[in-house]
PDB file of all heavy atoms in Angstrom:
ATOM      1  N   MET F 286     -16.110  13.405  17.262  1.00 67.00           N
ATOM      2  CA  MET F 286     -14.828  13.021  16.664  1.00 67.00           C
ATOM      3  C   MET F 286     -13.973  14.327  16.398  1.00 67.00           C
ATOM      4  O   MET F 286     -14.511  15.218  15.751  1.00 67.00           O
ATOM      5  CB  MET F 286     -15.086  12.197  15.416  1.00 67.00           C
ATOM      6  CG  MET F 286     -13.825  11.662  14.685  1.00 67.00           C
ATOM      7  SD  MET F 286     -14.106  10.837  13.171  1.00 67.00           S
ATOM      8  CE  MET F 286     -15.080   9.345  13.807  1.00 67.00           C
ATOM      9  N   MET F 289      -9.873  15.842  11.336  1.00 67.00           N
ATOM     10  CA  MET F 289      -8.779  14.979  10.744  1.00 67.00           C
ATOM     11  C   MET F 289      -7.446  15.790  10.617  1.00 67.00           C
ATOM     12  O   MET F 289      -7.443  16.867  10.132  1.00 67.00           O
ATOM     13  CB  MET F 289      -9.295  14.482   9.369  1.00 67.00           C
ATOM     14  CG  MET F 289     -10.285  13.427   9.404  1.00 67.00           C
ATOM     15  SD  MET F 289     -10.735  12.981   7.773  1.00 67.00           S
ATOM     16  CE  MET F 289     -11.514  14.334   7.164  1.00 67.00           C
ATOM     17  N   LEU F 296      -7.438  11.925   2.657  1.00 98.00           N
ATOM     18  CA  LEU F 296      -7.741  10.561   1.973  1.00 98.00           C
ATOM     19  C   LEU F 296      -9.004  10.124   2.443  1.00 98.00           C
ATOM     20  O   LEU F 296      -9.284  10.117   3.698  1.00 98.00           O
ATOM     21  CB  LEU F 296      -6.573   9.705   2.414  1.00 98.00           C
ATOM     22  CG  LEU F 296      -6.384   8.345   1.579  1.00 98.00           C
ATOM     23  CD1 LEU F 296      -5.934   8.668   0.276  1.00 98.00           C
ATOM     24  CD2 LEU F 296      -5.440   7.481   2.300  1.00 98.00           C
ATOM     25  N   ARG F 297      -9.941   9.525   1.624  1.00 98.00           N
ATOM     26  CA  ARG F 297     -11.115   8.990   1.961  1.00 98.00           C
ATOM     27  C   ARG F 297     -11.176   7.638   1.614  1.00 98.00           C
ATOM     28  O   ARG F 297     -10.899   7.118   0.494  1.00 98.00           O
ATOM     29  CB  ARG F 297     -12.240   9.749   1.143  1.00 98.00           C
ATOM     30  CG  ARG F 297     -13.701   9.202   1.518  1.00 98.00           C
ATOM     31  CD  ARG F 297     -14.817  10.205   1.104  1.00 98.00           C
ATOM     32  NE  ARG F 297     -14.754  11.408   1.801  1.00 98.00           N
ATOM     33  CZ  ARG F 297     -15.337  12.549   1.475  1.00 98.00           C
ATOM     34  NH1 ARG F 297     -15.964  12.648   0.275  1.00 98.00           N
ATOM     35  NH2 ARG F 297     -15.281  13.661   2.133  1.00 98.00           N
ATOM     36  N   VAL F 298     -11.615   6.847   2.665  1.00 98.00           N
ATOM     37  CA  VAL F 298     -11.449   5.288   2.595  1.00 98.00           C
ATOM     38  C   VAL F 298     -12.946   4.780   2.937  1.00 98.00           C
ATOM     39  O   VAL F 298     -13.551   5.111   3.858  1.00 98.00           O
ATOM     40  CB  VAL F 298     -10.491   4.753   3.489  1.00 98.00           C
ATOM     41  CG1 VAL F 298     -10.511   3.148   3.491  1.00 98.00           C
ATOM     42  CG2 VAL F 298      -9.126   5.223   3.325  1.00 98.00           C
ATOM     43  N   LEU F 299     -13.355   3.882   2.073  1.00 98.00           N
ATOM     44  CA  LEU F 299     -14.701   3.240   2.298  1.00 98.00           C
ATOM     45  C   LEU F 299     -14.450   1.765   2.749  1.00 98.00           C
ATOM     46  O   LEU F 299     -13.771   1.007   1.993  1.00 98.00           O
ATOM     47  CB  LEU F 299     -15.549   3.138   1.014  1.00 98.00           C
ATOM     48  CG  LEU F 299     -15.915   4.517   0.370  1.00 98.00           C
ATOM     49  CD1 LEU F 299     -16.897   4.207  -0.784  1.00 98.00           C
ATOM     50  CD2 LEU F 299     -16.606   5.490   1.393  1.00 98.00           C
ATOM     51  N   ASP F 300     -14.612   1.464   4.052  1.00 98.00           N
ATOM     52  CA  ASP F 300     -14.347   0.184   4.654  1.00 98.00           C
ATOM     53  C   ASP F 300     -15.536  -0.667   4.655  1.00 98.00           C
ATOM     54  O   ASP F 300     -16.392  -0.364   5.514  1.00 98.00           O
ATOM     55  CB  ASP F 300     -13.734   0.464   6.033  1.00 98.00           C
ATOM     56  CG  ASP F 300     -13.549  -0.848   6.857  1.00 98.00           C
ATOM     57  OD1 ASP F 300     -13.523  -1.945   6.248  1.00 98.00           O
ATOM     58  OD2 ASP F 300     -13.329  -0.640   8.093  1.00 98.00           O
ATOM     59  N   PRO F 308     -10.688  -4.586   8.072  1.00 98.00           N
ATOM     60  CA  PRO F 308     -11.008  -3.560   9.026  1.00 98.00           C
ATOM     61  C   PRO F 308      -9.743  -2.991   9.779  1.00 98.00           C
ATOM     62  O   PRO F 308      -9.758  -1.691   9.988  1.00 98.00           O
ATOM     63  CB  PRO F 308     -11.985  -4.175   9.838  1.00 98.00           C
ATOM     64  CG  PRO F 308     -12.743  -5.220   9.003  1.00 98.00           C
ATOM     65  CD  PRO F 308     -11.495  -5.838   8.278  1.00 98.00           C
ATOM     66  N   ALA F 310      -6.756  -2.841   8.723  1.00 98.00           N
ATOM     67  CA  ALA F 310      -5.982  -2.017   7.820  1.00 98.00           C
ATOM     68  C   ALA F 310      -6.511  -0.641   7.727  1.00 98.00           C
ATOM     69  O   ALA F 310      -5.938   0.327   7.769  1.00 98.00           O
ATOM     70  CB  ALA F 310      -5.882  -2.705   6.465  1.00 98.00           C
ATOM     71  N   ALA F 311      -7.909  -0.541   7.557  1.00 98.00           N
ATOM     72  CA  ALA F 311      -8.564   0.664   7.610  1.00 98.00           C
ATOM     73  C   ALA F 311      -8.414   1.510   8.893  1.00 98.00           C
ATOM     74  O   ALA F 311      -8.155   2.668   8.871  1.00 98.00           O
ATOM     75  CB  ALA F 311     -10.031   0.531   7.286  1.00 98.00           C
ATOM     76  N   THR F 312      -8.444   0.747  10.022  1.00 98.00           N
ATOM     77  CA  THR F 312      -8.106   1.424  11.263  1.00 98.00           C
ATOM     78  C   THR F 312      -6.704   2.104  11.366  1.00 98.00           C
ATOM     79  O   THR F 312      -6.471   3.300  11.736  1.00 98.00           O
ATOM     80  CB  THR F 312      -8.103   0.373  12.505  1.00 98.00           C
ATOM     81  OG1 THR F 312      -9.376  -0.131  12.429  1.00 98.00           O
ATOM     82  CG2 THR F 312      -7.845   1.073  13.847  1.00 98.00           C
ATOM     83  N   MET F 313      -5.806   1.471  10.790  1.00 98.00           N
ATOM     84  CA  MET F 313      -4.316   1.992  10.676  1.00 98.00           C
ATOM     85  C   MET F 313      -4.325   3.261   9.824  1.00 98.00           C
ATOM     86  O   MET F 313      -3.633   4.264  10.122  1.00 98.00           O
ATOM     87  CB  MET F 313      -3.363   0.995  10.207  1.00 98.00           C
ATOM     88  CG  MET F 313      -3.138  -0.248  11.106  1.00 98.00           C
ATOM     89  SD  MET F 313      -2.247  -1.497  10.405  1.00 98.00           S
ATOM     90  CE  MET F 313      -2.373  -2.703  11.690  1.00 98.00           C
ATOM     91  N   LEU F 314      -5.058   3.339   8.755  1.00 98.00           N
ATOM     92  CA  LEU F 314      -5.263   4.433   7.944  1.00 98.00           C
ATOM     93  C   LEU F 314      -5.838   5.632   8.647  1.00 98.00           C
ATOM     94  O   LEU F 314      -5.496   6.699   8.574  1.00 98.00           O
ATOM     95  CB  LEU F 314      -5.818   4.161   6.624  1.00 98.00           C
ATOM     96  CG  LEU F 314      -5.225   3.023   5.744  1.00 98.00           C
ATOM     97  CD1 LEU F 314      -6.086   2.767   4.497  1.00 98.00           C
ATOM     98  CD2 LEU F 314      -3.920   3.430   5.242  1.00 98.00           C
ATOM     99  N   ALA F 315      -7.025   5.286   9.347  1.00 98.00           N
ATOM    100  CA  ALA F 315      -7.660   6.286  10.156  1.00 98.00           C
ATOM    101  C   ALA F 315      -6.789   6.839  11.231  1.00 98.00           C
ATOM    102  O   ALA F 315      -6.748   8.113  11.462  1.00 98.00           O
ATOM    103  CB  ALA F 315      -8.863   5.629  10.788  1.00 98.00           C
ATOM    104  N   ASP F 316      -5.871   6.061  11.758  1.00 98.00           N
ATOM    105  CA  ASP F 316      -5.019   6.584  12.888  1.00 98.00           C
ATOM    106  C   ASP F 316      -4.189   7.700  12.324  1.00 98.00           C
ATOM    107  O   ASP F 316      -3.645   8.520  13.128  1.00 98.00           O
ATOM    108  CB  ASP F 316      -4.165   5.449  13.434  1.00 98.00           C
ATOM    109  CG  ASP F 316      -4.914   4.415  14.417  1.00 98.00           C
ATOM    110  OD1 ASP F 316      -6.021   4.850  14.781  1.00 98.00           O
ATOM    111  OD2 ASP F 316      -4.354   3.436  14.606  1.00 98.00           O
ATOM    112  N   GLY F 318      -4.861   9.999   9.949  1.00 97.00           N
ATOM    113  CA  GLY F 318      -5.636  10.997   9.420  1.00 97.00           C
ATOM    114  C   GLY F 318      -6.607  10.800   8.255  1.00 97.00           C
ATOM    115  O   GLY F 318      -7.289  11.630   7.870  1.00 97.00           O
ATOM    116  N   ALA F 319      -6.703   9.521   7.711  1.00 98.00           N
ATOM    117  CA  ALA F 319      -7.626   9.256   6.595  1.00 98.00           C
ATOM    118  C   ALA F 319      -9.046   9.326   7.166  1.00 98.00           C
ATOM    119  O   ALA F 319      -9.335   8.991   8.302  1.00 98.00           O
ATOM    120  CB  ALA F 319      -7.378   7.940   6.112  1.00 98.00           C
ATOM    121  N   GLU F 320     -10.016   9.872   6.346  1.00 98.00           N
ATOM    122  CA  GLU F 320     -11.337   9.748   6.742  1.00 98.00           C
ATOM    123  C   GLU F 320     -11.779   8.309   6.321  1.00 98.00           C
ATOM    124  O   GLU F 320     -11.906   8.022   5.095  1.00 98.00           O
ATOM    125  CB  GLU F 320     -12.198  10.790   5.984  1.00 98.00           C
ATOM    126  CG  GLU F 320     -13.641  10.743   6.269  1.00 98.00           C
ATOM    127  CD  GLU F 320     -14.525  11.582   5.567  1.00 98.00           C
ATOM    128  OE1 GLU F 320     -14.233  11.862   4.365  1.00 98.00           O
ATOM    129  OE2 GLU F 320     -15.719  11.944   5.975  1.00 98.00           O
ATOM    130  N   VAL F 321     -12.159   7.550   7.351  1.00 98.00           N
ATOM    131  CA  VAL F 321     -12.625   6.260   7.016  1.00 98.00           C
ATOM    132  C   VAL F 321     -14.103   6.108   7.340  1.00 98.00           C
ATOM    133  O   VAL F 321     -14.502   6.366   8.478  1.00 98.00           O
ATOM    134  CB  VAL F 321     -11.844   5.216   7.865  1.00 98.00           C
ATOM    135  CG1 VAL F 321     -12.436   3.770   7.649  1.00 98.00           C
ATOM    136  CG2 VAL F 321     -10.377   5.170   7.457  1.00 98.00           C
ATOM    137  N   ILE F 322     -14.853   5.664   6.307  1.00 98.00           N
ATOM    138  CA  ILE F 322     -16.287   5.581   6.321  1.00 98.00           C
ATOM    139  C   ILE F 322     -16.527   4.071   6.536  1.00 98.00           C
ATOM    140  O   ILE F 322     -16.327   3.340   5.531  1.00 98.00           O
ATOM    141  CB  ILE F 322     -17.023   6.258   5.295  1.00 98.00           C
ATOM    142  CG1 ILE F 322     -16.758   7.712   5.142  1.00 98.00           C
ATOM    143  CG2 ILE F 322     -18.569   5.881   5.319  1.00 98.00           C
ATOM    144  CD1 ILE F 322     -17.422   8.365   4.047  1.00 98.00           C
ATOM    145  N   LYS F 323     -16.965   3.593   7.611  1.00 98.00           N
ATOM    146  CA  LYS F 323     -17.195   2.173   7.984  1.00 98.00           C
ATOM    147  C   LYS F 323     -18.671   1.820   7.492  1.00 98.00           C
ATOM    148  O   LYS F 323     -19.552   2.324   8.114  1.00 98.00           O
ATOM    149  CB  LYS F 323     -17.118   1.827   9.348  1.00 98.00           C
ATOM    150  CG  LYS F 323     -17.373   0.412   9.639  1.00 98.00           C
ATOM    151  CD  LYS F 323     -16.423  -0.577   9.056  1.00 98.00           C
ATOM    152  CE  LYS F 323     -16.688  -1.974   9.406  1.00 98.00           C
ATOM    153  NZ  LYS F 323     -15.733  -2.909   8.716  1.00 98.00           N
ATOM    154  N   ILE F 324     -18.735   1.045   6.361  1.00 98.00           N
ATOM    155  CA  ILE F 324     -19.983   0.724   5.771  1.00 98.00           C
ATOM    156  C   ILE F 324     -20.351  -0.733   6.299  1.00 98.00           C
ATOM    157  O   ILE F 324     -19.753  -1.741   6.002  1.00 98.00           O
ATOM    158  CB  ILE F 324     -20.076   0.758   4.334  1.00 98.00           C
ATOM    159  CG1 ILE F 324     -19.684   2.147   3.772  1.00 98.00           C
ATOM    160  CG2 ILE F 324     -21.380   0.194   3.708  1.00 98.00           C
ATOM    161  CD1 ILE F 324     -19.583   2.361   2.242  1.00 98.00           C
ATOM    162  N   GLY F 350     -12.970  -0.445  15.454  1.00 98.00           N
ATOM    163  CA  GLY F 350     -13.811   0.673  14.790  1.00 98.00           C
ATOM    164  C   GLY F 350     -13.392   2.181  15.099  1.00 98.00           C
ATOM    165  O   GLY F 350     -14.167   3.083  14.710  1.00 98.00           O
ATOM    166  N   ARG F 351     -12.368   2.274  15.733  1.00 98.00           N
ATOM    167  CA  ARG F 351     -11.856   3.608  16.220  1.00 98.00           C
ATOM    168  C   ARG F 351     -11.604   4.490  14.948  1.00 98.00           C
ATOM    169  O   ARG F 351     -11.029   4.117  13.866  1.00 98.00           O
ATOM    170  CB  ARG F 351     -10.712   3.601  17.164  1.00 98.00           C
ATOM    171  CG  ARG F 351      -9.367   3.164  16.361  1.00 98.00           C
ATOM    172  CD  ARG F 351      -8.349   2.778  17.396  1.00 98.00           C
ATOM    173  NE  ARG F 351      -7.011   2.773  16.933  1.00 98.00           N
ATOM    174  CZ  ARG F 351      -5.962   2.271  17.564  1.00 98.00           C
ATOM    175  NH1 ARG F 351      -6.119   1.711  18.723  1.00 98.00           N
ATOM    176  NH2 ARG F 351      -4.725   2.459  17.049  1.00 98.00           N
ATOM    177  N   GLY F 352     -11.861   5.776  15.124  1.00 97.00           N
ATOM    178  CA  GLY F 352     -11.529   6.808  14.069  1.00 97.00           C
ATOM    179  C   GLY F 352     -12.450   6.668  12.763  1.00 97.00           C
ATOM    180  O   GLY F 352     -12.140   7.428  11.865  1.00 97.00           O
ATOM    181  N   LYS F 353     -13.424   5.874  12.919  1.00 98.00           N
ATOM    182  CA  LYS F 353     -14.242   5.614  11.623  1.00 98.00           C
ATOM    183  C   LYS F 353     -15.665   6.155  11.868  1.00 98.00           C
ATOM    184  O   LYS F 353     -16.160   6.195  12.935  1.00 98.00           O
ATOM    185  CB  LYS F 353     -14.345   4.165  11.307  1.00 98.00           C
ATOM    186  CG  LYS F 353     -13.012   3.436  11.117  1.00 98.00           C
ATOM    187  CD  LYS F 353     -13.178   1.909  10.929  1.00 98.00           C
ATOM    188  CE  LYS F 353     -11.827   1.183  10.768  1.00 98.00           C
ATOM    189  NZ  LYS F 353     -11.976  -0.257  10.510  1.00 98.00           N
ATOM    190  N   LYS F 354     -16.213   6.586  10.724  1.00 98.00           N
ATOM    191  CA  LYS F 354     -17.585   7.117  10.824  1.00 98.00           C
ATOM    192  C   LYS F 354     -18.461   5.834  10.359  1.00 98.00           C
ATOM    193  O   LYS F 354     -18.318   5.156   9.432  1.00 98.00           O
ATOM    194  CB  LYS F 354     -17.821   8.210   9.753  1.00 98.00           C
ATOM    195  CG  LYS F 354     -17.091   9.424  10.255  1.00 98.00           C
ATOM    196  CD  LYS F 354     -17.457  10.652   9.326  1.00 98.00           C
ATOM    197  CE  LYS F 354     -16.787  11.984   9.854  1.00 98.00           C
ATOM    198  NZ  LYS F 354     -16.977  13.095   8.831  1.00 98.00           N
ATOM    199  N   ALA F 355     -19.463   5.537  11.290  1.00 98.00           N
ATOM    200  CA  ALA F 355     -20.177   4.365  11.271  1.00 98.00           C
ATOM    201  C   ALA F 355     -21.532   4.564  10.477  1.00 98.00           C
ATOM    202  O   ALA F 355     -22.337   5.332  10.846  1.00 98.00           O
ATOM    203  CB  ALA F 355     -20.552   3.791  12.724  1.00 98.00           C
ATOM    204  N   ILE F 380     -11.982  -0.831   0.742  1.00 98.00           N
ATOM    205  CA  ILE F 380     -11.489  -2.097   1.234  1.00 98.00           C
ATOM    206  C   ILE F 380     -12.592  -2.940   1.427  1.00 98.00           C
ATOM    207  O   ILE F 380     -13.580  -2.651   2.001  1.00 98.00           O
ATOM    208  CB  ILE F 380     -10.766  -1.763   2.601  1.00 98.00           C
ATOM    209  CG1 ILE F 380      -9.646  -0.777   2.491  1.00 98.00           C
ATOM    210  CG2 ILE F 380     -10.286  -3.096   3.183  1.00 98.00           C
ATOM    211  CD1 ILE F 380      -8.849  -0.452   3.909  1.00 98.00           C
ATOM    212  N   ARG F 649      -8.733   9.421  16.822  1.00 95.00           N
ATOM    213  CA  ARG F 649      -9.683  10.457  16.994  1.00 95.00           C
ATOM    214  C   ARG F 649     -11.096  10.134  17.741  1.00 95.00           C
ATOM    215  O   ARG F 649     -11.660  11.033  18.262  1.00 95.00           O
ATOM    216  CB  ARG F 649     -10.026  11.123  15.605  1.00 95.00           C
ATOM    217  CG  ARG F 649      -8.831  11.625  14.775  1.00 95.00           C
ATOM    218  CD  ARG F 649      -9.347  12.410  13.624  1.00 95.00           C
ATOM    219  NE  ARG F 649     -10.107  11.628  12.691  1.00 95.00           N
ATOM    220  CZ  ARG F 649      -9.705  10.739  11.708  1.00 95.00           C
ATOM    221  NH1 ARG F 649      -8.477  10.546  11.653  1.00 95.00           N
ATOM    222  NH2 ARG F 649     -10.553  10.209  10.963  1.00 95.00           N
ATOM    223  N   VAL F 662     -23.291  11.245   6.809  1.00 98.00           N
ATOM    224  CA  VAL F 662     -22.534  10.881   5.696  1.00 98.00           C
ATOM    225  C   VAL F 662     -23.308  10.754   4.395  1.00 98.00           C
ATOM    226  O   VAL F 662     -23.072  11.352   3.404  1.00 98.00           O
ATOM    227  CB  VAL F 662     -21.726   9.533   5.883  1.00 98.00           C
ATOM    228  CG1 VAL F 662     -21.076   9.105   4.622  1.00 98.00           C
ATOM    229  CG2 VAL F 662     -20.667   9.791   7.065  1.00 98.00           C
TER     230      VAL F 662
END
Side-chain angles (χ1 to χ4, degrees):
M286 183 181 294
M289 288 179 292
L296 193 70
R297 180 166 291 164
V298 178
L299 306 181
D300 172 14
T312 302
M313 295 172 185
L314 299 176
D316 284 348
E320 180 189 27
V321 176
I322 299 172
K323 176 65 181 180
I324 298 177
R351 72 193 198 190
K353 303 178 184 181
K354 293 185 175 178
I380 300 177
R649 299 194 305 276
V662 172

